[in-house]
Amino acid sequence: MSGAAPAAGAAGALAAYDDRPFFARALDHGLANGIIDSERLEAMRADGAKGIVQIANYFGTAHLRTDLEEAMRRMVYLVSLYLEHRFDGHLPRAARSLQDNTFLSHSRGGSEMLKALFAMPTDSTILDADEAADVREFLRARTLGAQWTVAEYRAHLAARSVHKAEIDGAFWLAGATQVPAGALAGESAESVIKACLLTRIAGRPAGPLLDAGELKEWFRKLRRAKRRKALPPGLLDDVPDEHRPVVARHLERIVARDLPRIADLKVPFNDLVREYHDAFHALALSHEVSDYDTLVTDEWRRVTRGMTDADAINTIFLCLAAGKAPKPVLTAAEAKTAIRAIRTGGAAVRNVPDFIGRCAPHQMIDGLIAQWEDEFLPEVIEALIIDDTDLDLDPLVRLLSQHCHIKAAARRK
C-alpha cells in the first residue's frame, strides 16, 4: 500500500500535464467556457487557411504538401508564442484575445516578437548596418525545428536587452563627446563608454576625446597628485534617464578599477598609456603616424637611441634573446657574451615580442614581429648561434655583423 500512493500521485500529475501548444489549450478553454463562439471559430479556420498559404510561400512554396504542413506547424507556434508571452500563460485572457482579435493578428504578433528579438544585438559589439543577417533564415530556424519555449524566448530577450542598452548608451555618449559615428563599428560598447567617460573625468565633458599626448599628460597629473581628486560635479547630469543606469554602472567600474590603477606607481607608465590609448585611438578615425609618434614610449626612445634601421633592431633582438639589457650597438665582447648566454641558458624568445608589444610604436609592431619571427629568430638565433657549437666565436661575431651593429667586427664585403 505504501508504494501505491506515490505511483498514483505520479499518474495523476502526468494526467494533469498538457504539452499541447498553448494555442490549442487556449482555444479549448475558450470553447469549453463559452468565451469563443462558433462564428469566431469559423473565422479562425478561414484565417488559418490563408495564413498557412502565406507562410508556405514565404519559406518555400504553397504547392507542396510538406511545405503546407510545415507552415501549419509554424503558424500554430507563432500564435502560441504570442499568446503565452502576451498573457503570461493565462488561458482565459488568451481565449478572450482569440475571440476579440483575428487569428492572423496573433500569428503576426508572434512573428513580430521574433523579428524584434532578431534585430537586437547578441553581444555588446557595435556592428555596421551593412552586416545585418537574413531575418528569414532566423525565422526559419526558430519557427520549426528549433522552437523556443516562452521561457527560452524571454531569456534571450533579457540577454539581448542588456546588450542593446549598452550599445544605445555608447551611441548617445559618443555623440555627446564628438566621436564620429563611423568610428564605432566593430568596437565594444564598453570601450566606447570608457573612453568617453575618461575624457569627461579629465575635464572635457563635451569632447573631443583626449589625444595621445593629452592622455599621457593627464595620467602624469593623476600620478603626481598626492590625493585622489573627486570626480567633476554633475558628470552625468546631461545623460538622459534611459541611458543613465548603463553609464552610471560603467562610471562606478572606472572609479573602482581604472582610476586606482592609473594612479598606481607600480603599474609601468608606458604599459598603462599603451593600453588606454588603444581604446582612444580606435575611436578617433585617425591613424596618422604623428599621433603614433606622440605615443612612442620613453623606453623605446631610450633603447633605440634614434636608431631604427634593421641592423639596430636586430641588435636589440640579440640582447633581449640573451636576457641582456637591449642596445642598438654592441662591442664584439658584448656580442660574445650574448652568444654564450643563449647557448648556455637557451634563447629567451618571449622577451622580444613582449618588448615590441610594450614599447614599439603601433605602426611598427607587425613589421617588427615579422622581422623577429620570420628572419632573425630562425636565421640567426637558431641557425647561427644555437646550431653552431664552434667554441671560436670570432668567426660567428663576424657573421653577426652582417645582421647587427657590432663595433670592431669585420666590415661587410
Side-chain angles (χ1 to χ4, degrees), residues 126-382:
I126 300 172
L127 299 179
D128 192 293
D130 293 336
E131 297 180 20
D134 187 357
V135 67
R136 189 190 304 263
E137 293 307 311
F138 178 78
L139 292 175
R140 186 189 303 278
R142 295 279 75 86
T143 57
L144 192 61
Q147 294 176 342
W148 284 334
T149 64
V150 167
E152 289 171 330
Y153 169 82
R154 288 174 174 175
H156 285 284
L157 181 64
R160 295 194 183 199
S161 295
V162 171
H163 300 317
K164 186 176 186 302
E166 292 274 316
I167 292 174
D168 289 346
F171 266 107
W172 183 89
L173 200 55
T177 319
Q178 301 183 40
V179 177
L184 302 182
E187 300 299 321
S188 71
E190 178 181 7
S191 66
V192 174
I193 293 173
K194 178 184 286 188
C196 293
L197 285 177
L198 286 173
T199 296
R200 287 186 168 215
I201 294 171
R204 189 180 287 172
L209 292 180
L210 302 175
D211 63 27
E214 292 167 336
L215 185 69
K216 290 180 71 172
E217 183 58 30
W218 181 51
F219 284 177
R220 287 194 178 100
K221 287 182 180 179
L222 290 179
R223 291 197 161 194
R224 287 196 297 263
K226 295 182 179 180
R227 296 181 181 179
R228 187 189 304 179
K229 294 183 178 180
L231 294 179
L235 196 67
L236 304 184
D237 283 356
D238 62 328
V239 180
D241 291 342
E242 63 266 32
H243 305 309
R244 186 76 60 84
V246 168
V247 177
R249 185 170 64 250
H250 282 280
L251 181 60
E252 289 177 1
R253 292 177 185 172
I254 290 174
V255 171
R257 304 175 187 177
D258 294 88
L259 295 183
R261 186 166 183 269
I262 292 170
D264 187 356
L265 297 180
K266 296 178 182 178
V267 179
F269 185 75
N270 291 332
D271 293 358
L272 189 71
V273 175
R274 174 80 71 193
E275 172 189 337
Y276 282 90
H277 184 265
D278 284 345
F280 278 73
H281 187 75
L283 299 174
L285 276 185
S286 170
H287 296 277
E288 295 297 327
V289 173
S290 59
D291 190 37
Y292 282 122
D293 288 343
T294 304
L295 184 64
V296 172
T297 63
D298 296 333
E299 185 176 358
W300 177 259
R301 288 193 294 267
R302 178 183 60 79
V303 168
T304 62
R305 303 173 191 172
M307 300 172 62
T308 55
D309 59 280
D311 286 3
I313 298 300
N314 284 340
T315 308
I316 292 171
F317 290 168
L318 177 63
C319 296
L320 292 168
K324 307 297 182 182
K327 299 167 61 177
V329 180
L330 297 177
T331 64
E334 289 171 329
K336 290 178 182 180
T337 299
I339 293 169
R340 293 190 187 99
I342 292 172
R343 285 182 173 178
T344 301
V349 294
R350 284 306 314 165
N351 285 355
V352 176
D354 287 349
F355 172 79
I356 293 172
R358 186 178 70 252
C359 301
H362 276 63
Q363 79 275 20
M364 294 177 64
I365 288 178
D366 290 344
L368 292 173
I369 291 292
Q371 182 177 337
W372 162 249
E373 294 182 346
D374 300 338
E375 299 176 19
F376 197 75
L377 175 60
E379 296 175 9
V380 177
I381 299 295
E382 295 175 348

Side-chain angles (χ1 to χ4, degrees), residues 113-133:
M113 285 171 56
L114 291 176
K115 288 178 179 178
L117 178 67
F118 173 81
M120 298 173 71
T122 57
D123 59 35
S124 61
T125 302
I126 300 172
L127 299 179
D128 192 293
D130 293 336
E131 297 180 20

